[in-house]
Amino acid sequence: MEEAKSQSLEEDFEGQATHTGPKGVINDWRKFKLESEDSDSVPPSKKEILRQMSSPQSRDDKDSKEKFSRKMSIQEYELIHKDKEDENCLRKYRRQCMQDMHQKLSFGPRYGFVYELESGEQFLETIEKEQKITTIVVHIYEDGVKGCDALNSSLTCLAAEYPIVKFCKIKASNTGAGDRFSSDVLPTLLVYKGGELISNFISVAEQFAEEFFAGDVESFLNEYGLLPEREMHALEQTDMEEDIE
């Protein structure tokens, strides 16, 4: 008697349970959407599609299997999802959020070109007096040393693409410590932030091919996390993700 009662309770429970698991949740949502829609405002085609998708048939039936496994058509997708205008509005909103975020992250000074430092005193002043949030990349070079001209050209391009990074260059002979920066260690890159040296690359041209360009230097610095995300690149990436969606 007790066993029969337990079985009866289980049957009652199974009869009332909603779907479980990811697919079950989706089907429940479709069913709820169908039931909650005003019957007068729902097109018959949309109502029928929602009904079919919220109540998949038994897999034992051959025809039902085909219905169960069929893919959603473009028309079905457009009927179930919001209007295209809503999607465009969402894209504009996301883009605006990205722009606002970059404005907040880029509230510091902007540079956009490579500064030529004329003396050791100017070098020290630049490091010590610049804002703590600013990353400073200093190229120590000398005319006629292999790799120095190519690195100067590369940094000029990067300065335009990363305006919140301060790029500088100084001749080794003007640093006041020319004996420490012989041609054997040039070109040298020093990276500072908050008045502290955070990276030091001597003979950096050896890290590249015989001919190298701004993209090579950019990739190298990014490997060490020394460059922020490019502003335009981040916005373009957002647009690409939206187009894929």
Side-chain angles (χ1 to χ4, degrees):
M1 180 70 178
E2 194 68 29
E3 183 177 347
K5 182 177 181 181
S6 176
Q7 184 177 357
S8 176
L9 288 173
E10 290 177 359
E11 291 174 351
D12 290 343
F13 177 78
E14 290 174 356
Q16 297 175 6
T18 58
H19 299 92
T20 59
K23 292 182 179 179
V25 172
I26 292 173
N27 287 332
D28 283 345
W29 174 84
R30 290 167 178 160
K31 184 176 180 180
F32 170 79
K33 187 173 182 64
L34 174 62
E35 293 174 348
S36 62
E37 293 274 11
D38 182 0
S39 59
D40 294 332
S41 62
V42 179
S45 57
K46 179 176 179 180
K47 185 181 296 186
E48 176 61 18
I49 291 169
L50 287 171
R51 185 192 65 76
Q52 292 176 4
M53 299 183 70
S54 64
S55 303
Q57 303 297 320
S58 170
R59 299 193 183 190
D60 294 334
D61 184 86
K62 184 177 180 179
D63 294 335
S64 297
K65 284 185 178 180
E66 295 178 356
K67 291 181 181 179
F68 185 84
S69 61
R70 70 184 179 86
K71 294 183 179 180
M72 188 190 306
S73 69
I74 296 176
Q75 290 80 6
E76 292 172 342
Y77 181 91
E78 291 178 347
L79 282 169
I80 291 172
H81 287 70
K82 291 184 178 181
D83 295 336
K84 200 69 177 178
E85 294 178 358
D86 293 336
E87 294 178 10
N88 292 335
C89 182
L90 178 60
R91 290 186 180 186
K92 291 179 181 178
Y93 172 76
R94 291 178 61 185
R95 183 176 178 82
Q96 183 62 50
C97 288
M98 286 294 297
Q99 290 175 336
D100 292 343
M101 180 186 72
H102 282 288
Q103 287 178 359
K104 291 178 181 179
L105 293 176
S106 306
F107 63 87
R110 304 176 75 84
Y111 309 97
F113 61 93
V114 179
Y115 291 77
E116 178 78 45
L117 306 179
E118 302 292 344
S119 65
E121 290 77 11
Q122 189 178 5
F123 174 88
L124 293 175
E125 184 177 350
T126 297
I127 302 305
E128 294 174 354
K129 294 189 177 181
E130 195 55 73
Q131 293 190 21
K132 293 183 178 181
I133 62 171
T134 300
T135 298
I136 306 172
V137 179
V138 181
H139 175 208
I140 300 178
Y141 74 102
E142 201 64 68
D143 293 334
V145 175
K146 183 179 180 180
C148 288
D149 286 344
L151 188 54
N152 275 332
S153 297
S154 297
L155 295 182
T156 298
C157 295
L158 294 181
E161 294 184 3
Y162 295 90
I164 64 174
V165 177
K166 187 169 186 177
F167 290 89
C168 304
K169 62 180 180 179
I170 183 171
K171 287 187 176 182
S173 54
N174 291 337
T175 62
D179 56 330
R180 297 179 55 188
F181 296 107
S182 65
S183 59
D184 294 335
V185 300
L186 300 181
T188 291
L189 277 182
L190 305 178
V191 185
Y192 295 86
K193 193 168 188 177
E196 300 291 335
L197 179 67
I198 60 175
S199 288
N200 177 18
F201 306 103
I202 63 173
S203 302
V204 70
E206 296 179 359
Q207 304 294 325
F208 311 120
E210 188 72 17
E211 288 187 71
F212 63 91
F213 304 93
D216 302 308
V217 179
E218 179 184 29
S219 297
F220 176 78
L221 294 175
N222 276 328
E223 286 182 10
Y224 292 89
L226 298 174
L227 294 177
E229 186 176 19
R230 281 191 295 175
E231 297 173 16
M232 289 307 299
H233 173 73
L235 293 176
E236 290 170 0
Q237 186 66 27
T238 301
D239 291 341
M240 288 178 60
E241 292 175 355
E242 291 172 349
D243 291 340
I244 292 174
E245 293 175 0

